[in-house]
Structure formats: C-alpha cells, structure tokens
Amino acid sequence: GAVVSQHPSRVICKSGTSVKIECRSLDFQATTMFWYRQFPKQSLMLMATSNEGSKATYEQGVEKDKFLINHASLTLSTLTVTSAHPEDSSFYICSARETRNTEAFFGQGTRLTVV
Amino acid sequence: QKEVEQNSGPLSVPEGAIASLNCTYSDRGSQSFFWYRQYSGKSPELIMSIYSNGDKEDGRFTAQLNKASQYVSLLIRDSQPSDSATYLCAAPGYSSASKIIFGSGTRLSIRP
C-alpha cells in the first residue's frame, strides 16, 4: 500500500508551548488529508479535513485557532497544537488519500504528552 | 442512525477458526468500503478495499459486500493470535462531502 509518514512519533512539551506535527504522502499525491485524535481505548475522533490549497474544515467542537492545519502541497500537511495544555495530551494521527472514493492511508501517529 | 455501524465486541474466536466481522451502512450512495486493523497503541492499517458486490479475497482475508442489504463483512480464515486487534469498517461519506466515515470498531480476540 501507499506510504504516509508522520513525524515526530513522540513528543513531550511544556504547557503553553506549541508543537508541530508533519504528515507526508511519500509515493502519491494526497488531495485530501485528515487529522484524528484518539484517547486510550476510545474510537478515532476526526478533528479536521484538509484539501490541498484550501482552508481546513474542522469538526464541531474542535478549536481552529488552537489546532492549526496547513495543507500547502499535495504531499504535506501539518498540524500545530498551539498553547498546549495537559488535556491536549493524546495520540494524533493523520491519514491521506489520493481521490474521493479511494482508501486513505494512515501515518504512524504522534503521541503528544504535555507536561 | 450512525452512518457506519459495527458491533463493538469483544469477539472471541479460537485459534484456527474463522472470525466474521460485520458492518452495516446507511448511505446507499456509498461506492467503496474499507477494512482497517488497529493494534493497541498503533495507527490503523488498511487490510482490504472493496468496490463491487460479492467477495474479494486476499490471503486469509475475504471481504464481502452486499449493496442491496447495505452490509459489508470481513472474514479471517485460520485465525492467529496476531489477528487480535480492533477492526474498523469505513466508507467515504457520500452526503458528507469528502469525509471518510468510520465505524466504532470491533475488538477481536483470538484465544489459543
């Protein structure tokens, strides 16, 4: 299957700082990328959908000023968690797909711990 | 009604048996369906995609699609302990723009 690379895999940051997570599609052009958050033993929660060159569409309840998403090219999307707090600690996962009806491939995930 | 529904399990199957995972969907316009496997603490990985009615086989995995009944299933033959994971059914949201809609997942446990 296609490869989606997410970096970093783990990050620990201090409360009040910002963290950037990168998601790259390595062998295909991703017209759409998705960002999820997952708490232990819970389902994937979609945070936002981003299409290349457009503003991201955020799910209800997700603060767009806190979770900044940039999808500047067909192979790269970034999620920046601004002014992180301990309650933002979670497993963040990106996925990418080439076209509307095709499957999406997931990155390895980023485990964020805010101390 | 949820757009993609799965039994949350846990589903316990003896090693070597067939594990059957089921999924129903509400949007008749859905054209494609995906099964993902997620191990605890890891991100989901794609196992199968199915686009047309009938069966699709890949090794020990068979996906079955019945569009008339709005039903998708995944069969795992000769179940192994390494198959123990959460299995997610997904479909592009026809009426939800460009989203992919995931079921809540079925937790599968293969007992030795």
Side-chain angles (χ1 to χ4, degrees):
Chain A
V3 179
V4 175
S5 176
Q6 187 174 341
H7 178 80
S9 57
R10 284 182 183 275
V11 59
I12 300 173
C13 71
K14 289 187 178 178
S15 208
T17 61
S18 295
V19 172
K20 181 186 279 191
I21 302 169
E22 286 190 355
C23 181
R24 292 181 184 272
S25 56
L26 298 187
D27 51 3
F28 67 101
Q29 294 190 321
T31 56
T32 307
M33 287 189 172
F34 305 92
W35 287 96
Y36 298 87
R37 182 165 53 179
Q38 189 173 37
F39 294 104
K41 298 192 189 304
Q42 293 189 22
S43 303
L44 290 172
M45 284 174 37
L46 179 65
M47 298 175 69
T49 301
S50 80
N51 293 297
E52 185 264 340
S54 305
K55 287 186 180 178
T57 301
Y58 289 81
E59 294 299 297
Q60 197 169 6
V62 177
E63 300 173 57
K64 59 181 70 173
D65 294 331
K66 180 169 183 63
F67 298 100
L68 302 178
I69 291 171
N70 185 288
H71 190 167
S73 78
L74 282 170
T75 59
L76 174 65
S77 176
T78 59
L79 167 67
T80 302
V81 183
T82 63
S83 186
H85 288 103
E87 57 266 32
D88 298 323
S89 299
S90 189
F91 191 42
Y92 292 86
I93 315 172
C94 72
S95 72
R97 72 175 181 199
E98 194 166 13
T99 62
R100 194 185 180 282
N101 278 315
T102 58
E103 57 275 287
F105 296 93
F106 283 84
Q108 303 93 320
T110 297
R111 195 160 302 283
L112 170 64
T113 303
V114 184
V115 297
Chain B
Q1 183 188 3
K2 289 184 184 176
E3 293 188 57
V4 177
E5 291 206 56
Q6 297 180 253
N7 188 321
S8 62
L11 175 65
S12 181
V13 172
E15 185 175 355
I18 296 175
S20 177
L21 303 158
N22 304 315
C23 173
T24 58
Y25 61 95
S26 60
D27 196 334
R28 286 195 172 274
S30 295
Q31 298 295 313
S32 46
F33 302 89
F34 317 117
W35 282 100
Y36 292 85
R37 176 177 60 199
Q38 185 176 23
Y39 291 114
S40 181
K42 303 291 186 183
S43 65
E45 59 177 317
L46 181 71
I47 300 176
M48 296 277 282
S49 305
I50 186 164
Y51 296 89
S52 51
N53 270 331
D55 295 1
K56 179 182 177 184
E57 189 174 315
D58 183 0
R60 294 186 298 113
F61 298 97
T62 299
Q64 300 174 318
L65 173 58
N66 184 325
K67 289 187 179 180
S69 301
Q70 295 176 247
Y71 179 90
V72 190
S73 64
L74 180 71
L75 302 178
I76 306 174
R77 287 181 300 282
D78 188 23
S79 296
Q80 304 295 309
S82 58
D83 295 325
S84 297
T86 296
Y87 289 80
L88 302 165
C89 174
Y94 186 80
S95 58
S96 302
S98 58
K99 285 186 201 179
I100 293 181
I101 310 299
F102 281 86
S104 55
T106 298
R107 196 154 46 95
L108 175 66
S109 176
I110 307 300
R111 57 181 191 272

